[in-house]
Amino acid sequence: MKRFEYARAGSPSDAVRRFRPGTMYLGGGTNLVDLMRLGVAEPDLLVDVSRLPLDVIEPVGDRLRVGAAVRNTDLAADPLVRTRYAMLARAVLDGASGQVRNMATVAGNLLQRTRCAYFQDVSRPCNKRRPGSGCPAIEGDHGNLAVLGASDACVATHPSDMAVALAALDAEVHVTGPGGDRIIPMPGLHRLPGDEPERDTVLEPGDLITAVELPAPPPGASTYRKVRERASFAFALVSIAASLDVGSDGVVSGCRIALGSVAHVPWRAERAERLLIGGPATGAAFLEAAEAELDQARPLPRNAYKLPLARNLIVATLEELAP
Amino acid sequence: MNRVEGRVKVTGLATYAAEYPVEAVAYAYPVQSLVAKGRIVRVHDAEAREMPGVLAVLSCEDPPRLAEDADAELALFQSRDVAYRGQIVAAVVAGTYENARAAAAAVRVEYDPDDHDVALRSDHPGFYRPDVVNPDYPSDTVKGDVEAGLAGAAASVDVTYSTPVLHNNPMEPHAAVAVWDPEGRLLVYDSTQGASPDRDTIAQTFGLPREDVRVVSRHVGGGFGAKGSTRPHAVLAALAARAAGRPVKIALTRQQMFDVTGYRTPTIQRLRLGADAGGRLTAVEHVAYEQSSTLVEFAEQTATPARVMYATPALRTAHRLVRLDVATPSWMRAPGECPGMYALESAMDELACALGMDPVELRVVNDADAEPEGGLPFSSRNLVMCLREGARRFGWRHRDPEPGVRREGEWLVGTGVAASTYPARRRPARAFAFVRDGDYVVQVAAADIGTGARTALVRIAADALGVPPDQVHVELGDSDLPEAPVAGGSMGTASWGSAVVRACEELKRGDGKEGRADTTDEVGNDARLARHAFGAQFAEVRVSSVTGEVRVPRLLGVFAAGRIVDPQLARSQFIGGMTMGLGMALMEETLTDEEFGGFLRRDLAQYHVPACADVPHVEAVWLDEQDGELNPMGSKGIGEIGIVGTAAAIGNAVHHATGHRVRDLPLTPVKILSRF
Amino acid sequence: MDITLKVNGTPHAVDVDPRMSLLDLLRERLGLIGAKKGCDHGQCGACTVLIDGRRANACLALAVAVDGSEVTTVEGLAKGDDLHPLQAAFIEHDAFQCGYCTPGQLCSAVAMLGEPGPSAVTDDLALDPELTPEEIRERMSGNLCRCGAYVNIVKAIAEAAP
């Protein structure tokens, strides 16, 4: 680990004020300390924001405001989250371990970096870690990498479960930074790799996430499901956050679908949603929508399994949610 | 009786290798090769030497003195040649771990790389027949006419199975603390499965007399073979301590463990089986294709269980090895039997399907009354009773043999069976028993790597002395104690226990104060017999037709392993082996990086071992097996047989659930889903 | 950097390298070897300790970032000679073999029993579930045991649970 300076921020604005090139904000540390030990992250200055008073969950009208420093455990255990945003509670509980969830913050979870084996190994090339060095995953180990929205430069996936649910919930990410405060709607926080895979998100240098605000939950039933070879404590092969609202006439009046571990971003399946809304809530319609969504995929030899997996998952999940 | 060291383990006081308090200890951190093959042109270490706290940099630029006959994996910095990616090519010693690690990252090694070859494939032109396979079995055997047996068979299978690179991954990373005294004697606290052989290897590597080296390893955080032989970290600690002039500690990272502490070779195995209409085997052929490094030949004995398992008039077994630019594979829990029985027992299931015969019955009708290869009589063999008892307990008779027909919602349900076997051997050992403060002390340089050796030896000594166990104290894990073999090959308790019994007998026979034993002659005079433990494993699986996920709600193992010395420890060993077998079946796999060499997914987030949620119900029971031809305890080793057969039982159950046969471990959703 | 923290009730004031983890501080500076280093990346749970009463991976916590905290390690679970009920249950059920994951399992279990709310296997998120074996297994899945003592660990925890 490279030497660095450590400072504790007294307030969000103090954190932003301390920011200079080479600075990173430290939340729960569950990913950043991990990456620093690997040599992947080499900050000169760590500004600890984990103890800022951003750890409150509070209703704002029919919305719910979740502070950026709320620990994952507390998010999933919150009575309002459990009852109104079951999809989010389930996604959080499906991630990592009890210990990691106790440490990890909401903002840190959103800003997790890919678990691509090449990204995590500084002795191998990686365009995300060292722009221009190449992407060996495309010819090599891409078994759990992206099938949607990837580029020739990068096929990494975003590893978060929580972010998938937030994308489906149309959550808003509140940010403060050198350029002032702004609100970034999910799933727009994360970006596709394009030819700048080193940029995971649209955040600018110095930006600090202060909160995530959840709009009123979508009507209908919702859930989160994660597929993994180990029954717990494993990253997803594919995951899904979905909600479905079907009128008494059997017509879909609302539908949200987001997929995890298929892209550089939590993937909002907008094509499928558009096809489903206003149509019948039948297995055939679910299948057609799933296939339309996955038509855009560009799988590689060793991750092509994600297409039938995602298709099955969309269909099975919607069937489960249908009345 | 609970584990005698239980209290120190649950209170955090048990000392593992890196945890002995040593004054003024410094830290070493290795630098690993970035090429899979080539020559080191230059090690640029000037920057590292200038970094804070750095005491020394070791590399081939100034090779430290080691014996010329040192094992090639241990001869650190003696050569400029690189044999695999991840090989230790330099190291930094510093006053703190943080400084050592940071400085190691600043060492730049310049290579002249060669093209590398790291992929095991069935058509590799480099395959050859090794002279022997681990530890000293013949590579090939032939009995009868396999082609004729197959030609005349009513049913036959010709199938190829493959298993991936597997890593032992004991929870305690390999660690050592090395301390040289002013007289040039070396003390190493090491994570090892055998203090005596580790001492011998370290002495040989440094060209020291054995008396000048002492290895201490009172508690070892698992090994599963990875700590069965001396690993480079121990040599590096001693080299670094010599260079720095003070004690040095090294603890490998989990990632480094993947590179330099051994692994199970990947295998490609072709099985040809034929049987008559009654299911009696007419031919068995098992050929295994495996890899080793260019440094050391390690040939896993994968096809050897076919020499033991089933009666057949025609039997051929063979091993073919290719030397690649990879690290040297080594022992991992039940080398040979574990991958070999996966393939053989899966093929037996396929044969049962081809015959339309119950897979338990197929194994029963092919039971052997003498070792199929060579004809040695068995000292005891109760495979059939294990199968029968397991079938009874598991509810096997209610099983519908039809594959792919049981469904609960999206989940397909199936059951499978496979047999287990493991040799029951022992090696010479020494022990010393004496009276201290009215209690009995038994000393033997055994290792307790989690097997419960301390506790088992207390029981054995108490029985031999005719005293309550709480009057017996066992001292082990120190090469200054009476010499003992490694905790490996399921031979620990049998070997050490034999010496302990004889020492206790000697104590009782003599003045009642002390007794010594050396079982070299006794073991050398063991009658020529086939000594093996057997077992049967049953698995229930659920396979998601949506996701291809496989879950194992139930595993049952029934074993015949001689007299069980300690039921609680035995059960833990069996279920522990079966749990590791579940991992092998469903999730464990290390990828080889064909582009850059070395391994990928070198951590516990990517190399999945089973978590608690994967293991709802594992049960192990055993038969009361009497066998007077083993050792004074009448026991067979139990550390490894638990993993033998588990993967096949699960794979066979997956076939029963889905109707699809996946012949390539692990059985991940990726592979299952492609069959639907 | 100078930090203070309380470990098992004992205050410590130490000057630490900002790069040092809480785990290395405990093991290499304070002589508390109970918390184990199994992976150093939060992937195995062997280093689990309680930080201000909550279970956490000590390898992922920088020592400077836990300045002022109260830390409980496995050495702090017993009351003098009296083992914590979980420690006694682990011995009784042979819930370990090599013992290397055991301190982490124990700290994890102690904290887990006090953790409210549902888990990934809870059917009804609105209710706090009974601590069934299935719930224990899921909640303890952050602590790997390569010896495969899981079935005994679950029995020990179920027995010791209040």
Side-chain angles (χ1 to χ4, degrees):
Chain A
M1 205 183 279
K2 207 182 75 172
R3 284 175 172 266
F4 58 88
E5 287 177 55
Y6 171 89
R8 190 171 289 165
S11 65
S13 56
D14 178 45
V16 172
R17 201 163 47 240
R18 288 171 183 270
F19 185 89
R20 49 180 155 82
T23 300
M24 296 184 86
Y25 298 131
L26 175 68
T30 55
N31 193 200
L32 181 54
V33 173
D34 162 43
L35 293 175
M36 287 166 64
R37 196 162 285 135
L38 292 170
V40 174
E42 295 194 301
D44 300 315
L45 170 65
L46 268 191
V47 174
D48 188 342
V49 295
S50 65
R51 300 195 196 187
L52 295 181
L54 300 173
D55 57 349
V56 178
I57 303 175
E58 55 187 351
V60 181
D62 65 348
R63 301 163 70 87
L64 194 68
R65 188 181 165 93
V66 179
V70 167
R71 308 289 166 154
N72 285 190
T73 300
D74 299 327
L75 178 61
D78 182 83
L80 285 173
V81 175
R82 283 159 68 176
T83 50
R84 297 184 69 206
Y85 302 93
M87 169 204 290
L88 176 59
R90 289 221 179 272
V92 172
L93 292 169
D94 270 348
S97 67
Q99 292 93 313
V100 171
R101 292 193 296 271
N102 272 342
M103 304 175 80
T105 63
V106 166
N109 190 326
L110 279 172
L111 299 180
Q112 280 185 80
R113 309 218 63 195
T114 185
R115 261 59 181 193
C116 173
Y118 301 97
F119 173 75
Q120 296 187 86
D121 181 349
V122 295
S123 75
R124 289 173 163 92
C126 167
N127 283 329
K128 180 180 280 298
R129 181 168 33 75
R130 210 163 64 227
S133 61
C135 175
I138 291 171
E139 297 288 322
D141 175 21
H142 52 250
N144 198 19
L145 298 181
V147 292
L148 285 158
S151 71
D152 292 341
C154 182
V155 292
T157 45
H158 194 262
S160 170
D161 293 293
M162 184 196 74
V164 180
L166 292 181
L169 290 167
D170 287 339
E172 293 172 351
V173 180
H174 292 233
V175 174
T176 186
D181 297 350
R182 61 199 171 112
I183 294 174
I184 303 168
M186 289 282 284
L189 173 68
H190 300 92
R191 56 183 296 285
L192 292 175
D195 52 11
E196 278 185 296
E198 67 276 18
R199 291 186 61 206
D200 290 356
T201 67
V202 300
L203 294 180
E204 298 295 334
D207 277 352
L208 177 71
I209 296 177
T210 54
V212 170
E213 208 166 287
L214 307 175
S222 76
T223 193
Y224 184 80
R225 182 169 175 184
K226 177 176 185 177
V227 180
R228 42 189 165 176
E229 57 209 30
R230 182 158 77 182
S232 184
F233 200 18
F235 291 101
L237 297 176
V238 175
S239 69
I240 182 170
S243 72
L244 185 69
D245 190 33
V246 181
S248 53
D249 53 358
V251 172
V252 175
S253 51
C255 178
R256 309 260 185 95
I257 302 169
L259 298 172
S261 204
V262 295
H264 201 254
V265 300
W267 184 268
R268 187 72 183 261
E270 290 167 2
R271 238 189 235 191
E273 291 176 11
R274 276 197 304 274
L275 271 172
L276 284 164
I277 293 171
T282 62
F286 299 154
L287 179 61
E288 191 187 339
E291 288 185 334
E293 186 66 40
L294 297 167
D295 264 356
Q296 323 162 60
R298 275 186 16 197
L300 295 163
R302 281 171 288 279
N303 68 8
Y305 74 93
K306 290 194 178 191
L307 299 188
L309 179 52
R311 180 199 64 208
N312 290 358
L313 205 54
I314 293 170
V315 173
T317 304
L318 294 177
E319 283 182 339
E320 182 195 322
L321 295 176
Chain B
M1 177 179 164
N2 295 318
R3 276 173 207 263
V4 295
E5 79 283 11
R7 195 175 175 96
V8 293
K9 283 184 174 171
V10 301
T11 52
L13 301 176
T15 43
Y16 298 81
E19 299 172 346
Y20 289 83
V22 174
E23 284 292 307
V25 73
Y27 295 79
Y29 195 91
V31 177
Q32 298 177 268
S33 166
L34 298 184
V35 300
K37 188 181 184 185
R39 255 183 96 68
I40 295 169
V41 175
R42 179 91 197 277
V43 177
H44 301 274
D45 60 8
E47 186 192 342
R49 285 179 187 279
E50 293 303 310
M51 287 174 69
V54 171
L55 301 170
V57 179
L58 296 99
S59 77
C60 60
E61 295 297 346
D62 182 13
R65 189 169 30 82
L66 283 179
E68 286 189 4
D69 63 348
D71 177 281
E73 285 277 11
L74 302 178
L76 298 179
F77 320 127
Q78 304 298 296
S79 162
R80 288 184 172 273
D81 293 329
V82 173
Y84 58 93
R85 194 180 208 273
Q87 192 174 12
I88 295 173
V89 293
V92 173
V93 193
T96 67
Y97 177 71
E98 290 77 15
N99 281 333
R101 188 165 184 172
V107 173
R108 196 168 60 78
V109 182
E110 191 181 332
Y111 302 93
D112 179 9
D114 287 338
D115 291 341
H116 61 252
D117 180 5
V118 296
L120 180 71
R121 50 190 167 87
S122 58
D123 61 350
H124 199 290
F127 280 117
Y128 69 100
R129 179 172 59 81
D131 290 338
V132 293
V133 293
N134 179 61
D136 55 4
Y137 296 114
S139 178
D140 291 12
T141 62
V142 185
K143 177 183 89 168
D145 186 340
V146 166
E147 299 305 333
L150 289 170
S156 63
V157 295
D158 178 352
V159 284
T160 299
Y161 292 87
S162 57
T163 61
V165 171
L166 297 171
H167 274 88
N168 312 52
N169 272 316
M171 292 310 298
E172 180 208 16
H174 294 64
V177 180
V179 187
W180 293 88
D181 75 9
E183 283 72 46
R185 288 179 302 220
L186 174 63
L187 166 62
V188 184
Y189 299 100
D190 195 9
S191 47
T192 176
Q193 293 175 223
S196 301
D198 193 34
R199 180 262 326 264
D200 292 351
T201 305
I202 292 171
Q204 182 211 344
T205 306
F206 282 84
L208 292 168
R210 314 195 315 164
E211 302 75 47
D212 286 359
V213 179
R214 180 181 175 197
V215 169
V216 174
S217 57
R218 297 217 169 82
H219 298 282
V220 182
F224 315 111
K227 296 169 183 170
S229 50
T230 303
R231 291 288 163 198
H233 71 278
V235 176
L236 178 54
L239 285 175
R242 198 166 66 184
R246 57 194 260 198
V248 167
K249 178 189 294 195
I250 176 169
L252 295 182
T253 65
R254 181 61 55 178
Q255 289 85 350
Q256 289 163 352
M257 287 171 71
F258 279 80
D259 303 323
V260 299
T261 69
Y263 61 94
R264 195 195 298 285
T265 177
T267 71
I268 300 166
Q269 302 178 53
R270 185 175 181 200
L271 269 294
R272 293 198 296 163
L273 307 179
D276 66 21
R280 260 172 282 274
L281 289 162
T282 56
V284 172
E285 184 186 63
H286 190 167
V287 184
Y289 301 89
E290 309 171 336
Q291 73 186 35
S292 191
S293 70
T294 58
L295 292 176
V296 178
E297 180 182 88
F298 178 86
E300 184 150 343
Q301 68 273 37
T302 301
T304 57
R307 301 171 188 172
V308 174
M309 282 306 296
Y310 299 115
T312 175
L315 172 65
R316 176 172 174 257
T317 61
H319 298 83
R320 295 295 176 267
L321 201 64
V322 60
R323 308 292 282 273
L324 301 173
D325 303 311
V326 297
T328 311
S330 185
W331 304 319
M332 178 168 167
R333 205 170 200 166
E337 277 74 16
C338 178
M341 285 290 277
Y342 160 66
L344 177 60
E345 290 299 292
S346 300
M348 284 293 281
D349 199 67
E350 298 207 46
L351 184 63
C353 290
L355 286 159
M357 190 170 174
D358 179 82
V360 169
E361 292 309 312
L362 176 66
R363 289 168 173 89
V364 169
V365 303
N366 286 294
D367 193 35
D369 49 19
E371 211 171 46
E373 207 288 317
L376 274 182
F378 290 102
S379 64
S380 58
R381 175 177 166 119
N382 285 297
L383 171 61
V384 170
M385 278 179 66
C386 291
L387 287 160
R388 294 276 188 234
E389 177 63 12
R392 186 185 70 75
R393 287 173 174 264
F394 199 74
W396 189 260
R397 72 192 165 89
H398 305 297
R399 180 183 192 256
D400 173 1
E402 188 65 24
V405 294
R406 285 151 301 278
R407 185 182 268 271
E408 292 174 20
E410 70 177 60
W411 295 91
L412 304 167
V413 183
T415 53
V417 63
S420 309
T421 187
Y422 199 79
R425 297 168 293 205
R426 60 173 176 160
R427 283 187 185 160
R430 295 178 192 174
F432 179 39
F434 60 98
V435 176
R436 185 168 68 198
D437 302 331
D439 279 357
Y440 295 90
V441 177
V442 176
Q443 296 181 329
V444 54
D448 193 338
I449 60 172
T451 55
R454 242 185 221 92
T455 312
L457 293 175
V458 164
R459 265 189 187 271
I460 288 166
D463 281 354
L465 292 165
V467 302
D470 61 4
Q471 286 181 27
V472 178
H473 309 280
V474 166
E475 295 177 1
L476 49 69
D478 185 337
S479 66
D480 278 2
L481 298 171
E483 184 163 7
V486 70
S490 295
M491 288 182 280
T493 303
S495 308
W496 312 322
S498 296
V500 166
V501 169
R502 300 307 178 216
C504 292
E505 288 171 350
E506 187 64 26
L507 179 149
K508 280 173 48 179
R509 205 167 24 245
D511 59 2
K513 294 276 194 292
E514 63 175 57
R516 287 176 195 279
D518 178 342
T519 59
T520 305
D521 291 343
E522 174 181 331
V523 173
N525 289 328
D526 280 343
R528 281 200 73 227
L529 287 169
R531 295 179 178 82
H532 304 272
F534 290 92
Q537 300 205 26
F538 295 77
E540 178 182 330
V541 304
R542 294 162 68 80
V543 183
S544 167
S545 59
V546 172
T547 66
E549 288 164 297
V550 182
R551 301 289 182 251
V552 182
R554 197 156 60 112
L555 275 180
L556 168 68
V558 180
F559 301 96
R563 188 175 78 81
I564 295 300
V565 172
D566 182 308
Q568 179 160 278
L569 296 175
R571 182 173 169 278
S572 290
Q573 283 285 287
F574 289 135
I575 63 176
M578 293 165 71
T579 300
M580 198 180 278
L582 183 152
M584 176 191 183
L586 299 187
M587 60 189 83
E588 294 188 31
E589 176 174 29
T590 305
L591 296 187
T592 297
D593 186 341
E594 295 191 25
E595 182 172 5
F596 300 105
F599 295 125
L600 290 165
R601 305 191 178 179
R602 299 149 57 241
D603 64 34
L604 292 174
Q606 299 177 88
Y607 185 98
H608 288 157
V609 304
C612 199
D614 291 291
V615 191
H617 190 82
V618 182
E619 188 185 358
V621 295
W622 48 87
L623 309 177
D624 180 26
E625 187 178 66
Q626 309 291 328
D627 186 334
E629 294 290 346
L630 299 169
N631 53 56
M633 294 77 63
S635 64
K636 296 177 178 175
I638 55 173
E640 291 165 271
I641 193 169
I643 197 176
V644 179
T646 317
I650 291 172
N652 296 339
V654 167
H655 172 261
H656 186 235
T658 64
H660 299 290
R661 185 74 66 175
V662 179
R663 299 189 181 88
D664 177 31
L665 291 183
L667 307 174
T668 54
V670 182
K671 294 171 196 164
I672 306 279
L673 210 55
S674 68
R675 309 304 174 99
F676 289 146
Chain C
M1 288 184 72
D2 291 321
I3 63 165
T4 59
L5 72 174
K6 218 181 239 186
V7 183
N8 302 326
T10 306
H12 294 271
V14 273
D15 177 18
V16 297
D17 186 320
R19 295 171 295 178
M20 182 175 249
S21 66
L22 171 61
L23 179 61
D24 286 335
L25 171 64
L26 293 169
R27 288 171 61 81
E28 305 298 334
R29 293 285 297 282
L30 303 183
L32 292 168
I33 57 170
K36 302 301 186 195
K37 188 184 283 190
C39 73
D40 223 10
H41 288 276
Q43 301 164 350
C44 79
C47 66
T48 303
V49 298
L50 280 68
I51 303 178
D52 295 327
R54 297 164 66 124
R55 54 179 170 163
N57 301 109
C59 71
L60 292 178
L62 293 175
V64 287
V66 295
D67 183 17
S69 298
E70 291 201 18
V71 175
T72 304
T73 70
V74 73
E75 289 97 333
L77 296 185
K79 299 250 188 306
D81 283 345
D82 294 336
L83 294 180
H84 186 285
L86 274 163
Q87 290 173 313
F90 265 55
I91 293 176
E92 202 53 43
H93 288 273
D94 207 35
F96 54 87
Q97 295 186 32
C98 80
Y100 200 78
C101 75
T102 312
Q105 301 276 1
L106 284 163
C107 287
S108 188
V110 167
M112 179 273 285
L113 293 176
E115 272 173 13
S119 82
V121 297
T122 307
D123 282 335
D124 185 346
L125 291 183
L127 304 174
D128 285 345
E130 295 265 312
L131 198 65
T132 61
E134 187 190 18
E135 287 283 352
I136 295 173
R137 285 194 293 271
E138 165 58 25
R139 289 162 194 261
M140 290 300 294
S141 279
N143 292 86
L144 302 180
C145 168
R146 188 56 159 161
C147 295
Y150 294 127
V151 292
N152 293 350
I153 290 169
V154 173
K155 277 186 195 148
I157 294 173
E159 184 194 89

